Amino acid sequence: MRGLGAILMLHHVRPWVERAFAPPQNRLLEVTPECLDQALTLAAQAGYRFVGLDEIPSVLEAGRTEQPVLALTFDDGYRDNLEFALPVLRRHRASATVFITTGFADRSACLWWIDLENAVRNASSIRAQVGAETITAPAATPVEKVAAFELLYWKLRARPEAELRAVIANLRQEHGVDSRGAVERLCLDWDGVRQLAEDPLVTIGAHTLTHPMLRQHDTDFARREMAAARDAIQREIGRPVRHMAYPVGDKPSAGPREFRLARELGFRTAVTTRPGMLFPQHGAHLTALPRVSLNGLFQERAQLEALLSGIPFWLWNRGRLLNVD
Ligand SMILES: [Zn+2]
């Protein structure tokens, strides 16, 4: 059930800081350095071999491997990847790919999910027009804030991305959110990206210019987001960029058109956030690879062991090996 191995997906790696309001949906995007350390120890004990994404195509094309492989990936380009994840990677000699959104590195794009969290944190009540619906929610206490965030988050995710971004821009203004400050505090700038790129364990990949849900936009826009990000990163780090991750990366955000575009643009691999292990069949779908999310929900040893067994994905995918349509 674990097939040839897996590509692990992470975002933030940082010590947990207790806070009154931490929406579960964003909490999913962080693990502690100890959790990453434990996951890599368990993976090695379970027989996994750490590889970079560069090695994945040949493993898939061979269709067999002595030991199952594990490739680590980090999305968005957070400062904590350099500060907290890299020391753990070094301890385990584990390779990783960090996918950079160029707009975060140059401070021109916004982390809308963080802006939404900060708007709800600042607000005592929320009022927003989403489609035909006026959403109002109290947001005075931490419990109310979590409920308000969840309500808004899922209502907005069901709407076109342009609307999601417009509503969050309004909330940002109304509740005094420092969007650029959040990007500066959380994301690597180009110097940081270069520092990361210099480590032989690290490969830098592309994660578009502005972090859009590509499938919702026209083909020219999607192609430009993918190609121009790669070109900009290559210019900044002076190395070829061969891998990309689709922002958000679920089925509504990346589909067959994006998989084809990534192939046409010459990416060796491209990864989704669709859950699953790697099988020989993926050799024909190198730009539609599944990943296994190592997240805030899976910090217990037993859960990590289950994750590495591949069994949860077998169940979720009902025995289907490929999910590429
Ligand atoms: Zn992302």
Side-chain angles (χ1 to χ4, degrees), residues 60-121:
L60 294 177
E61 277 151 21
R64 48 186 293 280
T65 173
E66 299 258 306
Q67 287 175 272
V69 294
L70 194 66
L72 299 174
T73 63
F74 296 82
D75 288 14
D76 303 335
Y78 295 113
R79 287 183 189 275
D80 54 46
N81 294 175
L82 181 62
E83 189 180 350
F84 295 110
L86 187 56
V88 179
L89 297 175
R90 284 183 177 146
R91 220 159 30 242
H92 292 269
R93 292 186 217 291
S95 298
T97 301
V98 179
F99 295 109
I100 301 294
T101 295
T102 60
F104 298 156
D106 65 25
R107 284 46 177 135
S108 62
C110 70
L111 298 151
W112 60 256
W113 54 99
I114 300 293
D115 290 346
L116 181 61
E117 176 177 333
N118 287 332
V120 173
R121 181 173 290 110

Side-chain angles (χ1 to χ4, degrees), residues 36 40 85 90 95 300 323:
L36 177 59
L40 298 187
R90 284 183 177 146
S95 298
E300 299 297 324
N323 173 13

